[in-house]
Amino acid sequence: LEFRRVLFRSPDPMRTRLAEINPIALDWYLAHGAVPWPLSIREGVEQVSPGGRVSFALSNGAVERAAWWSPPVPNPDPHSNDSTSEALDRLESALDRSVELRLRADQPVGILLSGGLDSRLIAGLAARHAPGTPTFTLGLPGAFDESREAEAIAERLGLPRSEEHTSELQSH
């Protein structure tokens, strides 16, 4: 790996010229809404790996890439005889208890509901413990709008919903 220069700066989209855009990264961005590591939208530029760091020796230009952080990996109990279904039951119980505890409040509680798996799971668990918990959805323009999915989830769970769209918010 050869470096001619090292620059540190925040991205400035106004300075990016079309000729400098990495076409593979652009395809990824347009298809998935993100550019995967190590690609960058700029040609000849790499991202630092997730949880990684890059060190540069100013004396000789040497580059060192290393992990700065990595998520902890649970150490399974070798004496456990839990089956997969038992482990899933424990997970469901822990999630259920967590949602139940967070619904206990001295102020009204609501759920930010998108069409995603995490918010629908929370809404489903909340509906068990506090039927009628209100849901709130923010509709986005274009392909990223999940408001129809959120509406179907709230309806299926019998939860009241409020919805705003970014275009409506911008006109206020």
Side-chain angles (χ1 to χ4, degrees), residues 103-165:
L103 288 170
R104 295 180 190 168
D106 58 354
Q107 298 292 318
V109 175
I111 301 164
L112 183 59
L113 182 61
S114 68
L117 181 62
D118 52 351
S119 69
R120 82 174 56 192
L121 173 63
I122 291 168
L125 294 171
R128 286 183 188 174
H129 299 288
T133 300
T135 65
F136 303 90
T137 299
L138 180 63
L140 302 172
F144 297 106
D145 185 27
E146 297 179 345
S147 59
R148 287 188 182 177
E149 292 91 341
E151 179 180 15
I153 294 161
E155 186 176 306
R156 181 171 182 185
L157 295 172
L159 299 175
R161 56 184 285 282
S162 297
E163 184 176 310
E164 293 286 337
H165 287 268

Side-chain angles (χ1 to χ4, degrees), residues 12-111:
D12 183 354
M14 299 307 291
R15 290 186 174 180
T16 302
R17 295 186 300 266
L18 193 56
E20 297 175 335
I21 292 179
N22 179 334
I24 296 170
L26 179 60
D27 285 347
W28 268 95
Y29 180 76
L30 294 174
H32 306 286
V35 177
W37 171 81
L39 298 178
S40 166
I41 200 71
R42 301 277 307 254
E43 191 69 56
V45 175
E46 287 185 20
Q47 296 184 48
V48 175
S49 65
R53 66 175 174 81
V54 178
S55 299
F56 302 95
L58 297 177
S59 60
N60 61 8
V63 177
E64 177 193 0
R65 295 173 185 267
W68 174 70
W69 181 84
S70 58
V73 177
N75 189 4
D77 181 357
H79 304 292
S80 173
N81 293 323
D82 283 359
S83 67
T84 301
S85 65
E86 290 170 327
L88 289 172
D89 288 344
R90 282 199 338 268
L91 175 61
E92 181 182 358
S93 178
L95 290 169
D96 189 58
R97 179 80 175 132
S98 176
V99 170
E100 180 186 24
L101 289 173
R102 278 143 189 90
L103 288 170
R104 295 180 190 168
D106 58 354
Q107 298 292 318
V109 175
I111 301 164

